[in-house]
Amino acid sequence: KPANDKLGENSLYLITDVGTIDDRSFNQGSWEGLKQYADEIGVKPVYLQPKEESDQEYLAQISTAVEAGAKVVVTPGFMFEKAVHEAQTLYPKVKFILVDGEPRANQDAEAEYQENTVGILYQEEQAGFLAGYAAVKEGFTKLGYMGGYAVPAVVRFGYGYVDGANYAAKEMDKQISVRYTYLNSINPDPQWEAQASAWYVDGIEVIFSAAGGAGNSVMASAAKADNKWVIGVDVDQKAESEKVLTSSMKNLKGSVYEAVKSVGEGKFVGGKTTRLSIDQDMVQISDDLSRFKNFTKADYDAIVKKLKDDVDGVKKNIPGVESAEKITDLEFSNTTVELR
């Protein structure tokens, strides 16, 4: 049993973001981490699904959880930032684990923490770098990037993707191109399938879709095209489609598990942001490389080691959100970027 034996029934809660607990994406990854710890201590975790996408509804669901006895509330996604900002003061005895976000009064405000809250952020640019690097090493020269909203996490995925692709192109002494856009949506829609189809017809060989459920529309397009591929996001999405080459992943399960476990063991340290990276093996691409023909495990292990060791500043120099307002403001030696 954990040192904190107050984590009994109805003490571990997760409020889902847009989507369901089995979305094979953000909600599911976070839920699996919570469930892993709950199983270890012999209690049943609980999740609540908001009826709509609004700060008021998110806060209402958090309140429902607390009234039911929640001691820990996990909220997956930046959309919870405002609700958690308010909830952490309303419920000081509850521990809040905000995944992929920081508590703030509004979108443009600075993060404000109480001691009962931790924000978990990931260095998505490293995961994106690995995806772009692998794609070019595989032999692709015409890449695409479809981000959801231009929020920091999605921008980091995209900037890293282009930088990793360029790094591989430089190693191989070839020129490549990347078509780049934000859909301003994370929901499936026939128009995203049509847009991806148009890109594939134009010659784009692989599209990295960091756009939540909209990625399923890109997968549907790839499924109808010959030798066209998709790179999934957040969790390993290869089961979603035979056309998912790999996925640019955050270790959602592992990071939520560690955070919840810290509460159970009386080691929770709140009041700050925890930034997780390749150094803790918290960002990666899928370790199943079976759909690659040319990119090997040895290639993957070598680039991971380069990043961890920061050889020639490769990790330090991956561009971040603060590096440029838009991707075309960045310079890449072997890559042409077309912003759509």
Side-chain angles (χ1 to χ4, degrees):
K1 289 288 180 182
N4 181 350
D5 59 6
K6 294 177 182 175
L7 294 183
E9 295 300 327
N10 294 321
S11 66
L12 300 177
Y13 270 78
L14 179 140
I15 317 295
T16 66
D17 194 354
V18 179
T20 60
I21 210 68
D22 56 356
D23 63 356
R24 295 197 179 98
S25 188
F26 223 80
N27 291 314
Q28 184 169 337
S30 300
W31 172 250
E32 287 175 354
L34 179 67
K35 188 174 185 304
Q36 180 182 347
Y37 185 68
D39 289 347
E40 284 183 10
I41 64 171
V43 303
K44 187 177 180 181
V46 187
Y47 71 88
L48 300 175
Q49 190 170 336
K51 299 179 182 68
E52 63 181 27
E53 185 183 317
S54 72
D55 297 323
Q56 293 85 352
E57 174 64 7
Y58 293 154
L59 184 59
Q61 294 294 338
I62 291 171
S63 299
T64 297
V66 173
E67 287 162 11
K71 298 287 192 298
V72 178
V73 176
V74 178
T75 55
F78 70 92
M79 290 184 176
F80 283 98
E81 290 190 332
K82 188 173 180 181
V84 171
H85 180 268
E86 192 169 341
Q88 66 181 349
T89 302
L90 286 173
Y91 308 113
K93 293 183 179 179
V94 177
K95 300 295 191 290
F96 291 96
I97 298 167
L98 174 53
V99 185
D100 219 34
E102 300 172 292
R104 56 187 90 234
N106 58 65
Q107 187 177 356
D108 300 319
E110 292 292 318
E112 293 180 317
Y113 280 96
Q114 301 300 324
E115 291 300 315
N116 56 326
T117 300
V118 65
I120 298 175
L121 295 183
Y122 304 84
Q123 292 190 247
E124 291 93 353
E125 71 277 9
Q126 297 171 1
F129 181 99
L130 291 169
Y133 182 87
V136 173
K137 279 292 196 180
E138 176 65 8
F140 298 123
T141 60
K142 295 183 177 180
L143 285 62
Y145 179 71
M146 289 184 170
Y149 295 101
V151 297
V154 176
V155 173
R156 286 192 289 265
F157 268 129
Y159 285 10
Y161 177 62
V162 178
D163 194 56
N166 184 71
Y167 192 86
K170 197 159 48 173
E171 282 187 347
M172 301 169 77
D173 193 25
K174 61 167 64 173
Q175 294 293 318
I176 65 166
S177 62
V178 182
R179 186 175 293 183
Y180 194 106
T181 196
Y182 297 108
L183 303 176
N184 293 314
S185 171
I186 54 172
N187 296 313
D189 193 295
Q191 68 176 311
W192 311 140
E193 183 177 342
Q195 185 170 339
S197 294
W199 282 25
Y200 287 135
V201 168
D202 279 350
I204 303 297
E205 299 161 299
V206 58
I207 297 172
F208 175 20
S209 176
N216 293 96
S217 299
V218 181
M219 292 174 200
S221 172
K224 298 173 183 175
D226 289 331
N227 204 28
K228 303 294 184 179
W229 295 92
V230 179
I231 294 172
V233 73
D234 291 334
V235 297
D236 191 346
Q237 294 188 311
K238 78 174 179 301
E240 295 289 293
S241 167
E242 292 182 356
K243 291 300 188 76
V244 173
L245 179 69
T246 187
S247 299
S248 184
M249 297 163 57
K250 308 172 187 181
N251 190 343
L252 297 163
K253 179 179 178 179
S255 50
V256 170
Y257 168 80
E258 292 294 339
V260 178
K261 182 181 179 183
S262 76
V263 180
E265 296 184 343
K267 297 176 182 176
F268 180 83
V269 179
K272 65 172 188 175
T273 300
T274 298
R275 295 181 185 274
L276 300 175
S277 72
I278 198 166
D279 296 330
Q280 303 94 20
D281 297 315
M282 287 295 179
V283 296
Q284 62 186 92
I285 59 171
S286 169
D287 54 13
D288 178 357
L289 303 178
S290 60
R291 290 178 183 169
F292 288 97
K293 292 179 180 176
N294 303 312
F295 183 68
T296 66
K297 186 175 186 304
D299 293 331
Y300 182 58
D301 290 344
I303 191 62
V304 167
K305 187 174 190 312
K306 271 190 177 180
L307 284 171
K308 286 186 174 181
D309 294 343
D310 200 21
V311 175
D312 296 329
V314 58
K315 179 172 64 177
K316 180 180 65 182
N317 292 327
I318 302 173
V321 175
E322 68 291 337
S323 302
E325 189 172 325
K326 56 184 186 293
I327 187 71
T328 47
D329 292 336
L330 297 167
E331 292 185 8
F332 299 99
S333 59
N334 292 58
T335 304
T336 303
V337 182
E338 177 193 8
L339 185 61
R340 282 292 180 100

